[in-house]
Amino acid sequence: MKHLSLILLLFVFVACKRKAKKENAVEETRTSGSVKILVDESFSGVLGDQIAVFNTDYPNATFNIVKGNENKIIPTFLNDSTRVIILSRMLRPEEDKIYRNRSIVPKTSRFAIDGIALITNAANVDTNITVKEVIEILKGTATSGKQLVFDNAYSSTLRYFKDLAGIRELPKNGVYTLQNNNDVIKYVADKKDFIGVVGVNWLISNSKEMSESIAKIKVMGLKNLPGKKGDSTFYKPDQKNLISGIYPFLRNIYIINAEGREGLGTGFANWLVSQRGQLIVLKSGLGPHKMMPREFNFKNTN
């Protein structure tokens, strides 16, 4: 009888604990609960700005952000352990099919336009370069002596330039990779013979600890291939040129949601392309997916 009473007491305790846990749990909706998001580390800054504002509106939303290189985070997304990802490209047909075979249709939304900046040491007089020259360096046929340095061998930035030049492998000389964007900035700040390749949003949102190195670099002007938009003169990746599309090295930023349900991932993806989300993109210095109309309130003075 004594043992039976202990068992009943334990049962009541466990039941009460489960009930309390359930009552304290945040309801999973489009604006509350938790979501894990994989993000190409090049875009971690702009994503952080969006989450900060989203949380002021919806404090019951919790984000677990996992940063990494494009080639490293895509396999994690495809193996179904994380269903929301921020990338500079859409899913390829074979990648999309993996989710559709699970009866889930991934939803892709572009929410910003980023530029890829070419940077040089501030002491260099030559601060312009053509797309043709960049392609020649990537193919290993350049005679200018200019060299490129990228953030990482597995980054979306390097993949973008491989696609641009139509190459699978990098030349033995003239193109080098480091570990991350900050390494590129520091490297170019110390060496005059290299051109660094970094995302515009990374330069804009960089921390104070990088201010000394950023002060020692310049953003280069870029001229497109003949016959293409931006071939008339050298353009820098400022916001106006990103929005107009005249700067040659542009890339979209997408959020891909494969939750397959009405959760926080869906709500956040929709919020990114809403007026509020797009205004944050505009404020960040990048190009928004769409220009939001300004609203004016006219008061009747009669």
Side-chain angles (χ1 to χ4, degrees), residues 130 139 145 197:
T130 67
K139 288 184 174 181
V197 187

Short mmCIF file of all heavy atoms in Angstrom, two decimals, residues 130 139 145 197:
data_model
loop_
_atom_site.label_atom_id
_atom_site.label_comp_id
_atom_site.label_asym_id
_atom_site.label_seq_id
_atom_site.Cartn_x
_atom_site.Cartn_y
_atom_site.Cartn_z
N THR A 130 37.90 46.63 -64.79
CA THR A 130 36.80 46.20 -65.66
C THR A 130 36.43 44.76 -65.37
O THR A 130 37.24 43.98 -64.84
CB THR A 130 37.19 46.33 -67.15
OG1 THR A 130 38.23 45.38 -67.44
CG2 THR A 130 37.65 47.74 -67.48
N LYS A 139 40.60 33.35 -64.99
CA LYS A 139 40.97 32.31 -65.96
C LYS A 139 42.47 32.08 -66.02
O LYS A 139 42.94 31.15 -66.68
CB LYS A 139 40.45 32.70 -67.35
CG LYS A 139 38.94 32.58 -67.50
CD LYS A 139 38.51 32.88 -68.93
CE LYS A 139 37.03 32.62 -69.13
NZ LYS A 139 36.59 32.88 -70.52
N GLY A 145 49.09 41.75 -63.71
CA GLY A 145 49.74 41.53 -62.43
C GLY A 145 48.80 41.68 -61.24
O GLY A 145 49.20 41.48 -60.09
N VAL A 197 37.70 40.71 -52.44
CA VAL A 197 36.33 40.53 -52.91
C VAL A 197 35.44 40.24 -51.70
O VAL A 197 35.57 39.20 -51.05
CB VAL A 197 36.24 39.36 -53.91
CG1 VAL A 197 34.85 39.30 -54.52
CG2 VAL A 197 37.30 39.50 -55.00
#
